[in-house]
Amino acid sequence: MDWSWQGLSYCWELSLVTGWTKPPGLKTACYILVITIANIANLASTAMGITIQRDWIVVVAGEDRSKLADMNATVRRIDQMTNILAPMAVGQIMTFGSPVIGCGFISGWNLCSMCLEYYLLWKIYQRTPALAIKAGQKVDEQEMKPLNKQKDIECGQTNTDEKPASVYPAEGAHLMNVKTLEKEKEQRCGAKVLEPFYTLRDGWVAYYNQPVFWAGMGLAFLYMTVLGFDCITTGYAYTQGLSGAFLSLLMGASALAGILGTIAFTWIRRKCGLIHTGVISGVAQFSCLILCVFSVFMPGSPLDLSVSPFEEFSSRYMDASTLIESVTQTSEPQLFTTVGYTNSTTEYTSDEQFQPESYISVSLLFAGIIAARVGLWSFDLTVTQLIQENVDESERGIINGVQDSMNYLLDLLHFIMVILAPNPEAFGILVIISTSFVAMGHLMYFKFAYKSLGRQLFACTLKHQATQSNNPKISDCVAVST
């Protein structure tokens, strides 16, 4: 479902930008529809990810923790490989073909992959009978048996002791039943209205009470960063004179670093244990991000503290709106508005490209970002498996849903941060803030690790490995904390 919605959203957006100019009212409505479809695609993708990567994979792996770690790493490698191949394929098609051909290719690919995806999921569902059993169903049945027996005994005793039904007035009993039914009906109506709020509250309370709460919060804080290959960092790269072709190579290198991170995760986990893997990955990621902080003060950096990031805040949004209108309503060579090193806007054609005085700053920035991906994906896999192992199956979907909500919340805050400081002169400040949030996230994980392992956190010994191997059903954090 998520693939088909994403393909439809992209194709409609492409057709709107490239060729459709009239009528403007209908075009605006279609933009709203495209955004709505994109939101549905995001929700479907999140739900699919929680179901497959956080729940099904645990059931398929069974009680083998090593198999679970290998499966998590394999799924992440597949994800990183698609991040390498997809931009290359689409870029070639767009370059040597046309937007229409690219739109058709994406639509056809999404439809075919959706059918293949559903077929594979159905085969996995058939080969794993445990997926058909609801979480907590066996526990509920076992708990109900003694309760039913006790209820039968109590009913038998009351039936022998109580008086015949004819002793009680029939009318009074009828009125009592009517009042009871009315009260139950009112309670049901109120519960249905407030049920979503109760579910939200119960989910957050359950998330807070989990033993891996601080580990999950540490992972969420890593989303409050501009140090990734998203639209913000690539936009900054364009202002520093990097070409699209070179950026695609950097994205490929970033995906390769992510694959190395999945390999490092499996190797370190076997040597030192799961919790130690998170600590080592966090130290590796933060150490690499220090290069990004150094890049802020290197030659070629546009950092200028004399320029206020909030100056002409409203005028920047007016420029952004006129830019969208100019791109969609004219067929002449486009003029792009960008903010240079001074506090003024400069217009240049798409054939021109800004050349900074030095590439040292931007080189250090992307070197740190790419190198940090090794520790980032290893840390992500660590927290993911901690949640998988230490959360009850009946609460796994709720906890992972709240975890994704926290991730999106911090991701939203990083976009708000960029909206408040959109000019390249302030990007260095955003880099320092992002690195600070990454450090806070890893400190939260360190708190969780020290609470779980105590002084054993500072020792990666063979004795600790033997303890984990002798208890394959219990995570190392639960074994120590309990």
Side-chain angles (χ1 to χ4, degrees):
M1 178 179 177
D2 53 328
W3 285 97
S4 58
W5 282 111
Q6 289 173 356
L8 183 60
S9 170
Y10 178 81
C11 293
W12 281 13
E13 182 179 3
L14 188 62
S15 63
L16 288 171
V17 173
T18 54
W20 195 5
T21 58
K22 296 180 181 180
L26 183 59
K27 184 173 66 174
T28 302
C30 289
Y31 273 121
I32 296 174
L33 183 60
V34 166
I35 295 174
T36 304
I37 293 175
N39 290 332
I40 296 174
N42 194 16
L43 289 175
S45 178
T46 301
M48 182 70 73
I50 292 175
T51 303
I52 304 301
Q53 300 182 20
R54 309 290 177 84
D55 190 12
W56 277 31
I57 194 172
V58 182
V59 179
V60 173
E63 298 178 351
D64 191 343
R65 294 173 56 195
S66 298
K67 183 178 180 182
L68 177 61
D70 293 337
M71 291 178 67
N72 284 326
T74 301
V75 170
R76 197 55 53 87
R77 288 179 197 133
I78 295 173
D79 183 46
Q80 294 300 313
M81 286 300 299
T82 57
N83 290 337
I84 297 176
L85 298 177
M88 293 175 58
V90 176
Q92 296 297 323
I93 293 173
M94 292 293 187
T95 302
F96 298 101
S98 65
V100 176
I101 297 176
C103 182
F105 171 78
I106 294 173
S107 299
W109 178 265
N110 284 322
L111 290 175
C112 295
S113 62
M114 181 186 66
C115 297
L116 179 61
E117 179 182 6
Y118 280 131
Y119 172 75
L120 294 176
L121 291 178
W122 175 249
K123 297 297 291 184
I124 295 173
Y125 186 82
Q126 285 184 326
R127 294 183 179 182
T128 311
L131 293 174
I133 302 176
K134 281 188 176 182
Q137 182 176 350
K138 294 181 179 180
V139 177
D140 293 339
E141 291 176 355
Q142 292 176 358
E143 292 178 352
M144 287 300 295
K145 286 181 181 180
L147 291 176
N148 290 334
K149 290 181 181 179
Q150 184 178 0
K151 184 177 179 181
D152 293 340
I153 295 173
E154 292 176 354
C155 291
Q157 292 177 352
T158 53
N159 288 335
T160 56
D161 295 338
E162 67 184 3
K163 297 180 181 180
S166 59
V167 176
Y168 298 97
E171 295 181 358
H174 178 69
L175 292 175
M176 292 177 62
N177 291 333
V178 171
K179 291 180 179 180
T180 303
L181 290 175
E182 289 179 353
K183 289 182 180 180
E184 290 179 355
K185 187 176 181 180
E186 291 177 359
Q187 292 176 355
R188 286 191 208 132
C189 294
K192 287 182 179 179
V193 174
L194 299 177
E195 185 177 0
F197 300 98
Y198 291 151
T199 303
L200 180 63
R201 181 201 62 186
D202 295 341
W204 282 96
V205 171
Y207 178 74
Y208 177 77
N209 292 328
Q210 294 298 319
V212 292
F213 167 73
W214 287 110
M217 287 296 295
L219 177 63
F221 265 62
L222 301 189
Y223 282 77
M224 176 65 180
T225 177
V226 297
L227 302 176
F229 281 92
D230 55 3
C231 56
I232 296 170
T233 307
T234 54
Y236 173 77
Y238 283 126
T239 65
Q240 300 307 296
L242 299 184
S243 63
F246 187 71
L247 273 177
S248 63
L249 295 177
L250 293 180
M251 291 180 183
S254 174
L256 288 175
I259 295 175
L260 293 177
T262 62
I263 298 173
F265 163 75
T266 56
W267 185 80
I268 299 174
R269 194 198 71 85
R270 291 193 185 99
K271 296 292 182 180
C272 301
L274 187 59
I275 292 182
H276 286 90
T277 303
V279 175
I280 296 172
S281 301
V283 172
Q285 182 190 7
F286 183 75
S287 301
C288 294
L289 292 181
I290 295 297
L291 292 176
C292 301
V293 178
F294 288 161
S295 70
V296 175
F297 308 100
M298 290 292 106
S301 173
L303 179 65
D304 189 357
L305 298 179
S306 63
V307 178
S308 173
F310 307 104
E311 190 175 352
E312 299 179 359
F313 180 74
S314 59
S315 63
R316 295 185 191 279
Y317 280 97
M318 296 298 295
D319 293 339
S321 61
T322 55
L323 173 62
I324 296 176
E325 293 178 0
S326 64
V327 171
T328 56
Q329 294 183 2
T330 181
S331 59
E332 298 177 359
Q334 306 300 325
L335 294 177
F336 294 89
T337 302
T338 184
V339 182
Y341 289 131
T342 60
N343 190 26
S344 61
T345 58
T346 57
E347 294 185 350
Y348 59 92
T349 61
S350 58
D351 294 333
E352 298 177 0
Q353 190 171 4
F354 177 79
Q355 298 293 334
E357 61 181 17
S358 176
Y359 286 100
I360 297 178
S361 176
V362 69
S363 299
L364 283 177
L365 174 68
F366 281 99
I369 292 176
I370 293 173
R373 309 304 276 187
V374 178
L376 172 64
W377 288 116
S378 179
F379 182 81
D380 180 85
L381 287 171
T382 300
V383 177
T384 298
Q385 185 158 346
L386 283 171
I387 295 175
Q388 291 171 341
E389 292 180 357
N390 299 299
V391 176
D392 293 336
E393 185 179 357
S394 58
E395 295 182 340
R396 196 177 294 145
I398 297 174
I399 301 304
N400 282 293
V402 176
Q403 179 64 51
D404 282 353
S405 299
M406 283 298 304
N407 297 345
Y408 286 128
L409 178 61
L410 271 297
D411 190 49
L412 175 64
L413 291 180
H414 113 267
F415 280 109
I416 294 175
M417 179 176 66
V418 175
I419 291 174
L420 295 177
N423 51 334
E425 292 89 349
F427 190 79
I429 300 176
L430 302 185
V431 169
I432 296 174
I433 295 175
S434 300
T435 307
S436 302
F437 269 86
V438 172
M440 286 189 289
H442 289 306
L443 286 176
M444 291 178 182
Y445 181 85
F446 183 83
K447 178 181 179 180
F448 154 78
Y450 187 79
K451 183 179 178 181
S452 302
L453 299 180
R455 294 182 178 179
Q456 292 184 5
L457 177 63
F458 304 101
C460 181
T461 61
L462 296 176
K463 181 179 179 181
H464 182 65
Q465 300 173 40
T467 302
Q468 294 184 32
S469 61
N470 292 332
N471 297 278
K473 298 181 181 179
I474 304 175
S475 176
D476 45 4
C477 65
V478 176
V480 176
S481 61
T482 56

